[in-house]
Amino acid sequence: MSYKGPRGTYDVFPGGREPHERADLWAYVEGRAREILGLHNYREVRTPVFEEVELFARTAGEASDIVVQKEMFTFRDKGEREMALRPEGTPGAVRAYIEHNLFKLAQPIKLFYVGPMFRQERQQRGRYRQHTQIGVEALGTSDPLVDVEVISLLYAIHQSIGVRDEVVHLNNIGDMPTRRAYVPELRAFLRKNAAHLDPDSVARMDTNPLRTFDSKHEATQAVLAEAPKIGAFLSPEAADHLAVVRSGLDALGVPYELDEQLVRGLDYYTMTVFEAKSGALGAQDTVGAGGRYNALISDLGGPDLGGIGFGSGVERMLLAAAARETESALNLFFVTLAPEARVPAMRLAGALRAEGVSCDLDFGGRGAKGQFKQADRSGARYAAILGEDELSRATIKVRDMASGEEREVDVSGGSVELLRAIGA
RNA sequence: GUGGCCGUAGCUCAGUAGGUAGAGCAUCGGAUUGUGGCUCCGAAGGUCGCGGGUUCGAGCCCCGUCGGUCACCCCA
């Protein structure tokens, strides 16, 4: 084999082994998600898979090494513009919201997107260089009940496709007053215990102390268990917001766990953050996650309005969902027993398809036995046999593949009798 | 990007102390000149990831490289 797919990518095809390689499961998940999104009145937005690097750099802070941090695929176009394949969906959606003045309409604007995201990382279970996210952005309001809707929507989508062993983690990382109060406390605490922290956390202690909570090092986690909790530092506004979100989730019956160590990788989050994890995955156990971003819209040149959204990894949803079988959709398979029967069979097939009956026929020039074998494997309920005898009588033989029963029907007047014979 | 493990037919794998490759399933054909699922017979299918090296001889040993996988980093 001379060519292989690029590192960290995979193909979706009939017969794929892993759930995320199966085309039928993709159709199922996307279909369910679109249905539920529609029921919540979210509408689709499609934005380019590449944007100016600057857009993504703007949205994720730590400007200097952002390209490295977010591990973006970047390239320069022929006009010397620095571009990047999108690593996440929010910046493009928010950019479009601003660019098309959607903030002038009645708010919120509730959008969803489905599409590929790109990150240049080493692959592992549930992590790919090109992965797909189903995401949602509710833009133009800071109403905490929108947070409730967005989180319950994420949960509803996961439940509908059967994500196993799911826990929603919830936190509020506060507004600016909250952080001004909390971050210095946390930083001071970390400095005091720096000797017990891993190098990555030591490095982040000054630039972004909140992120140290993400560390997987045992020693670091032991230190963090004793760290001051953000809950005690929440401004009155942030505390109220969290209380409304919690009681809303309780009222809707969405199970969640308050997790004061939950921070998020993207720096634009404010107030509400959440993560849906599944025990059915490996180390990459976050199926979907998101949060509120009350400064992002204005940072990108829009009005001072809040927004909240989530992204959910389709590959991870597929991996975390219980195995599922999808049945064959084929109704009928034509078996031709003479070369001159093939074109008539195709003509009849056309007539059947026009009536919504799915059918197929052999293209390999197989003998009778081989064709019946194909019919059997196709999962078709009926085989329609067309040979010299049938041709001369203007009939076709319909065989019920399960019972083996056969009956000959008249097709001199078209496909009517044939349709009736198979109950269509 | 770093590290552990792995890389033999389409798939899952075996391959013994180094002697130029096997099985099961799948595919195709036949047993049944126009009838599937079971059974039997047969065929086709491999530069043993790639490149070097050691050796009379390498799928087995050594080096490099590419790829996969899992974990770290990061994140959906």
Side-chain angles (χ1 to χ4, degrees):
Chain A
M1 184 186 304
S2 43
Y3 290 104
K4 290 180 173 174
R7 176 165 229 176
T9 64
Y10 59 91
D11 296 310
V12 177
F13 57 103
R17 301 228 152 194
E18 297 291 324
H20 68 281
E21 294 173 332
R22 285 176 49 182
D24 58 335
L25 293 183
W26 274 88
Y28 174 73
V29 166
E30 234 186 279
R32 294 292 288 154
R34 282 176 182 277
E35 191 184 326
I36 293 168
L37 288 162
L39 291 172
H40 288 74
N41 198 29
Y42 281 73
R43 302 212 262 171
E44 184 167 16
V45 58
R46 297 196 190 202
T47 65
V49 296
F50 64 93
E51 302 264 4
E52 293 173 40
V53 165
E54 179 65 13
L55 176 68
F56 301 120
R58 255 280 161 64
T59 60
E62 305 323 277
S64 60
D65 50 4
I66 190 62
V67 174
V68 180
Q69 251 187 17
K70 298 196 69 182
E71 301 175 297
M72 283 192 276
F73 279 100
T74 60
F75 63 96
R76 187 170 301 174
D77 72 9
K78 305 233 175 189
E80 299 295 296
R81 286 172 284 258
E82 292 291 343
M83 312 301 284
L85 296 181
R86 63 182 181 193
E88 51 160 334
T90 302
V94 172
R95 192 223 79 225
Y97 168 81
I98 298 168
E99 184 170 339
H100 302 293
N101 296 315
L102 299 186
F103 54 82
K104 295 197 171 169
L105 304 175
Q107 303 299 298
I109 299 294
K110 305 204 291 186
L111 304 171
F112 79 86
Y113 57 83
V114 180
M117 306 296 162
F118 305 83
R119 288 176 200 164
Q120 197 153 180
E121 308 173 291
R122 191 91 152 233
Q123 152 170 10
Q124 71 189 73
R125 184 168 182 75
R127 189 177 71 185
Y128 305 93
R129 290 188 165 195
Q130 175 177 337
H131 73 280
T132 305
Q133 283 185 37
I134 293 177
V136 139
E137 313 293 345
L139 303 163
T141 175
S142 296
D143 187 337
L145 286 185
V146 178
D147 303 28
V148 174
E149 175 173 90
V150 166
I151 294 168
S152 71
L153 177 53
L154 175 65
Y155 186 71
I157 290 171
H158 288 173
Q159 290 305 298
S160 83
I161 63 153
V163 168
R164 293 168 290 167
D165 202 0
E166 178 171 4
V167 180
V168 177
H169 292 249
L170 174 74
N171 195 18
N172 185 309
I173 57 173
D175 43 19
M176 284 314 292
T178 303
R179 300 223 201 153
R180 267 198 296 272
Y182 177 62
V183 170
E185 287 288 325
L186 178 62
R187 185 176 286 135
F189 171 84
L190 293 172
R191 283 200 177 123
K192 206 166 55 192
N193 294 282
H196 304 293
L197 300 176
D198 63 275
D200 282 325
S201 295
V202 171
R204 272 198 297 226
M205 180 169 77
D206 294 311
T207 57
N208 196 346
L210 283 179
R211 296 297 306 287
T212 55
F213 283 113
D214 282 335
S215 173
K216 290 188 179 175
H217 286 75
E218 263 186 56
T220 299
Q221 280 303 326
V223 170
L224 289 169
E226 306 301 320
K229 300 275 189 289
I230 196 167
F233 293 82
L234 292 182
S235 65
E237 291 72 21
D240 280 353
H241 194 96
L242 178 60
V244 173
V245 171
R246 294 188 65 173
S247 64
L249 290 175
D250 289 338
L252 296 191
V254 178
Y256 69 90
E257 223 169 67
L258 186 68
D259 178 357
E260 294 197 86
Q261 295 204 9
L262 174 63
V263 292
R264 299 280 303 123
L266 304 170
D267 288 351
Y268 53 65
Y269 287 121
T270 56
M271 307 288 266
T272 304
V273 292
F274 53 95
E275 243 179 68
K277 292 169 178 283
S278 166
L281 294 175
Q284 308 304 318
D285 59 355
T286 299
V287 184
R292 177 162 280 289
Y293 40 81
N294 287 342
L296 180 60
I297 295 173
S298 56
D299 278 355
L300 293 180
D304 185 18
L305 292 170
I308 179 169
F310 68 70
S312 189
V314 179
E315 293 80 2
R316 290 185 187 178
M317 288 193 267
L318 255 10
L319 254 19
R324 183 180 303 280
E325 292 309 318
T326 55
E327 67 268 33
S328 159
L330 200 64
N331 298 125
L332 180 147
F333 195 96
F334 283 96
V335 172
T336 55
L337 300 171
E340 60 270 29
R342 301 184 75 199
V343 169
M346 287 184 87
R347 219 178 47 221
L348 271 173
L352 258 45
R353 290 164 182 153
E355 296 299 322
V357 175
S358 61
C359 49
D360 200 0
L361 58 151
D362 175 59
F363 288 108
R366 291 184 178 79
K369 177 193 172 122
Q371 291 187 57
F372 276 101
K373 216 165 199 171
Q374 290 303 304
D376 188 38
R377 293 200 181 130
S378 74
R381 179 146 174 225
Y382 299 99
I385 303 141
L386 198 55
E388 288 174 347
D389 298 349
E390 289 80 7
L391 276 178
S392 67
R393 285 189 295 245
T395 62
I396 194 161
K397 217 172 257 171
V398 178
R399 179 185 178 88
D400 183 312
M401 291 300 282
S403 67
E405 276 172 47
E406 279 181 20
R407 54 183 288 211
E408 197 164 345
V409 303
D410 176 29
V411 289
S412 58
S415 60
V416 185
E417 294 293 325
L418 178 53
L419 283 163
R420 184 174 305 153
I422 63 175

